[in-house]
Amino acid sequence: MSRMKRIPIKAAKIIADEYGYDQVVVIARRVGEAHEPHGEHVTTYGKDKANCSVAARMGDFFKHKLMGWAAPEEEIKVPQPGERVYESMKVMAQCMLEATGKLDVGLLFATGLEAQKHERQSVS
């Protein structure tokens, strides 16, 4: 039996492109007494920043609410001003790199500025 491997975002992007979807959530499970080790994996993809965010939230919902995964520590703490922007940009950069193999620094910078503006408005 082959070992379980992470499913790359690139695989979810291929599904989105091939079948015409904006958001893809891939849930993979290895279960049953005959399968050792057991495990689950979730990969998400969105065609742009907004769709990436929605797909990630769907993946989190499936993992934590339906499949019973424990929430990581960082999801429990309340972020300080600016932390959300930084974390969002890290996720977006990872999505970009895995989906296209390139990093569009200009887009990341513009997105970060817009997110900071939005965060300042929501804190006020």
Side-chain angles (χ1 to χ4, degrees), residues 100-117:
T100 67
K102 299 183 275 190
L103 188 61
D104 185 337
V105 177
L107 178 61
L108 276 176
F109 181 73
T111 302
L113 290 177
E114 188 62 32
Q116 283 179 332
K117 183 172 83 175

Side-chain angles (χ1 to χ4, degrees), residues 7-28 41-48 50-60 62 95 99:
I7 299 169
I9 293 171
K10 192 181 299 184
K13 181 184 184 318
I14 290 169
I15 293 169
D17 292 344
E18 181 70 23
Y19 296 97
Y21 289 97
D22 299 332
Q23 304 161 6
V24 173
V25 178
V26 178
I27 298 173
H41 181 76
V42 176
T43 297
T44 63
Y45 168 79
K47 73 174 188 171
D48 54 33
N51 286 294
C52 189
S53 176
V54 172
R57 287 194 311 262
M58 289 189 307
D60 285 344
F62 290 137
C95 283

Side-chain angles (χ1 to χ4, degrees), residues 30-41:
R30 178 180 266 181
V31 298
E33 291 179 22
H35 297 112
E36 281 295 330
H38 303 302
E40 298 175 317
H41 181 76

Side-chain angles (χ1 to χ4, degrees), residues 66-112:
L66 299 177
M67 298 161 70
W69 292 18
E73 290 287 325
E74 58 269 11
E75 289 185 4
I76 296 170
K77 72 176 185 147
V78 177
Q80 299 299 310
E83 278 185 50
R84 282 184 282 224
V85 173
Y86 175 72
E87 290 302 318
S88 300
M89 290 181 71
K90 277 184 8 186
V91 169
M92 187 172 173
Q94 181 182 4
C95 283
M96 256 188 227
L97 280 172
E98 289 191 27
T100 67
K102 299 183 275 190
L103 188 61
D104 185 337
V105 177
L107 178 61
L108 276 176
F109 181 73
T111 302

